[in-house]
């Protein structure tokens, strides 16, 4: 019998209060001191979080092979923890720091013109990124410009934290769609010519579509390509990458994939999925420390198909 997680609302609420206290404390610090706190937290997490630390080392071994020594991989994983703790501090500071009057001080836009043109023309599109850089930044900034996106995200198990995170994400007009049970909302967004935002680098299980990622087959959700083809929605692949020093980011649209460029053949879904996966890989290679190597991206691998028995081959239909 599968074991179900026991719900403890009181514990969820205590965790929520603790997180709120940390956020208030971090927001009260100047960003330089918040970064110092982030580096301390990263060091603690690297030491304590042995499971994810090992996942990161294993992933880097799969992705880079002999190009990295064991010491290189260890330094990279330390950098990953440091980047994501710094990213958390930036998320806490973003609402009170970045506005329309000063965004150029923190944000450099690259290749954004086609996205804004598509938004102004009220045509459907899919804004695609991965767990790289600061993936929360783009939704906040587009909302700041008056172009709110509809973003697909997994709801947190803690309902109090989930509502709190949603309130931050929706401050500038961004709207959230739950990953589980949100398909009808996703279709409605595309049918009504609004921008849909998704992350596309999570393992999709054994039934996912396997495409090349860092030279190894990775299970990837095929729904993104199917939605793009069905609604003729171009896929805009981009990231928000820290360029520093300090709180400085580049929001880059690196590739635009038009479903109309496909041949209409049976392989279109795989070709499109491979194209955006390769585009994400190219972006990640620019600074691998900003990628979430702590997720088991290659958890599932293709299985050999069994040949049908001869008696089955003879059955018509």
């Amino acid at each position: 019998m599968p074991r179900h997680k026991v719900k403890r609302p009181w514990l969820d609420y205590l965790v929520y209060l603790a997180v709120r206290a940390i956020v208030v404390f971090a927001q009260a610090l100047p960003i330089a001191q918040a970064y110092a706190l982030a580096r301390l937290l990263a060091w603690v997490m690297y030491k304590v979080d042995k499971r994810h630390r090992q996942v990161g080392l294993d992933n880097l071994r799969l992705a880079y092979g002999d190009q990295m020594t064991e010491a290189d991989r260890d330094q990279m994983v330390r950098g990953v923890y440091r980047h994501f703790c710094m990213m958390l501090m930036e998320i806490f500071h973003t609402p009170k720091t970045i506005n329309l009057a000063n965004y150029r001080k923190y944000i450099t836009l690259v290749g954004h013109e086609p996205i804004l043109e598509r938004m102004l023309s009220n045509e459907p599109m899919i804004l695609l990124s991965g767990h790289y850089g600061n993936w929360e930044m783009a939704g906040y900034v587009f909302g700041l410009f008056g172009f709110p996106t509809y973003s697909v995200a997994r709801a947190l198990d803690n309902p109090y934290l989930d509502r709190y995170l949603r309130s931050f994400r929706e401050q500038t007009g961004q709207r959230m769609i739950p990953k589980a049970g949100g398909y009808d909302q996703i279709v409605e967004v595309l049918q009504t010519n609004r921008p849909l935002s998704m992350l596309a680098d999570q393992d999709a299980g054994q039934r996912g579509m396997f495409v090349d990622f860092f030279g190894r087959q990775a299970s990837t959700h095929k729904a993104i390509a199917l939605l793009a083809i069905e609604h003729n929605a171009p896929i805009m692949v981009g990231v928000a990458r820290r360029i520093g020093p300090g709180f400085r980011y580049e929001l880059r649209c690196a590739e635009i994939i038009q479903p109309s460029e496909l041949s209409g053949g049976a392989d279109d879904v795989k070709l499109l999925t491979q194209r955006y996966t390769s585009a994400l890989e190219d972006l990640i290679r620019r600074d691998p420390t900003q990628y979430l190597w702590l997720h088991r991206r290659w958890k599932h691998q293709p299985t050999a198909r069994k040949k049908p028995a001869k008696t089955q081959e003879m059955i018509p239909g």
Side-chain angles (χ1 to χ4, degrees):
M1 293 290 290
R3 297 177 65 182
H4 297 284
K5 186 176 179 180
V6 178
K7 293 185 177 181
R8 296 186 175 91
W10 61 269
L11 182 58
D12 285 344
Y13 192 68
L14 285 178
V15 171
Y16 161 75
L17 291 177
V19 170
R20 286 297 301 264
I22 293 170
V23 171
V24 170
F25 175 70
Q27 287 177 331
L29 296 174
I31 190 65
Q33 292 183 17
Y35 281 151
L37 175 60
R39 288 189 289 270
L40 174 62
L41 289 174
W43 182 83
V44 172
M45 290 177 67
Y46 171 84
K47 294 293 185 182
V48 173
D49 187 17
K50 294 182 179 180
R51 183 169 71 90
H52 288 104
R53 182 178 71 203
Q54 189 59 51
V55 168
L57 292 169
D58 292 342
N59 280 341
L60 288 167
R61 188 177 296 110
L62 291 171
Y64 288 94
D66 295 336
Q67 297 175 47
M68 280 189 185
T69 65
E70 186 174 345
D72 291 335
R73 289 192 290 269
D74 181 72
Q75 286 301 312
M76 184 73 72
V77 170
R78 290 174 185 267
V80 170
Y81 278 103
R82 189 162 52 248
H83 163 73
F84 284 101
C85 286
M86 290 174 67
M87 172 189 158
L88 276 177
M89 296 301 163
E90 290 161 352
I91 288 174
F92 300 156
H93 278 257
T94 293
K96 70 171 188 176
T97 302
I98 301 178
N99 54 57
L100 278 176
N102 70 1
Y103 77 90
R104 290 182 179 86
K105 179 180 176 182
Y106 303 97
I107 306 293
T108 299
L109 301 175
V110 180
H112 62 287
E113 293 87 354
I115 296 178
L116 295 181
E117 288 175 8
R118 190 87 181 177
M119 287 178 169
L120 288 169
S121 63
N122 292 320
E123 295 179 274
M125 67 176 164
I126 297 175
L127 301 171
L128 204 66
S129 191
H131 290 84
Y132 177 74
N134 187 337
W135 58 86
E136 298 288 348
M137 184 69 71
Y140 183 87
V141 171
F142 279 121
L144 201 63
F145 293 158
F147 299 108
T149 59
Y150 290 76
S151 302
V152 180
R154 177 186 174 275
L156 300 180
D157 294 331
N158 185 320
Y160 304 104
L161 284 180
D162 186 64
R163 283 194 294 270
Y164 182 50
L165 179 58
R166 176 186 289 265
S167 69
F168 162 78
R169 286 169 161 169
E170 296 186 345
Q171 278 189 46
T172 59
Q174 182 181 197
R175 291 293 176 262
M176 307 308 299
I177 298 175
K179 185 176 180 180
Y183 181 76
D184 289 343
Q185 290 175 259
I186 290 171
V187 171
E188 182 186 3
V189 166
L190 294 173
Q191 287 178 340
T192 52
N193 300 327
R194 289 173 287 178
L196 181 70
S197 175
M198 306 178 80
L199 299 178
D201 61 339
Q202 295 284 289
D203 180 271
Q206 202 61 58
R207 297 177 66 181
M209 175 161 285
F210 288 91
V211 295
D212 183 87
F213 184 61
F214 281 86
R216 186 175 178 84
Q217 292 293 290
S219 176
T220 309
H221 291 282
K222 65 186 78 171
I224 296 170
L226 290 169
L227 287 166
I229 292 169
E230 181 181 354
H231 299 278
N232 194 30
I235 293 179
M236 316 290 205
V237 184
V239 292
R241 181 171 68 97
R242 181 184 289 113
I243 55 176
F247 199 164
R248 286 280 303 159
Y249 274 85
E250 174 190 83
L251 264 63
R252 175 181 290 271
C253 177
E255 185 163 352
I256 300 172
I257 307 171
Q258 297 283 357
S260 58
E261 297 173 358
L262 301 170
S263 64
D267 292 333
D268 280 358
V269 172
K270 184 159 189 174
L271 288 171
L272 198 157
T273 304
Q274 182 63 71
R275 277 191 63 183
Y276 72 66
T277 301
S278 297
L280 283 173
E281 178 182 330
D282 290 342
L283 290 164
I284 292 166
R285 286 183 180 275
R286 297 187 181 201
D287 185 354
T289 59
Q290 295 191 42
Y291 186 60
L292 188 64
W293 295 104
L294 311 182
H295 162 69
R296 293 181 63 191
R297 184 65 185 92
W298 293 283
K299 181 178 180 180
H300 293 90
Q301 288 295 292
T303 54
R305 293 183 178 180
K306 294 181 180 179
K307 293 183 178 180
K310 290 185 177 180
T311 53
Q312 292 177 320
E313 292 175 347
M314 296 173 63
I315 298 174

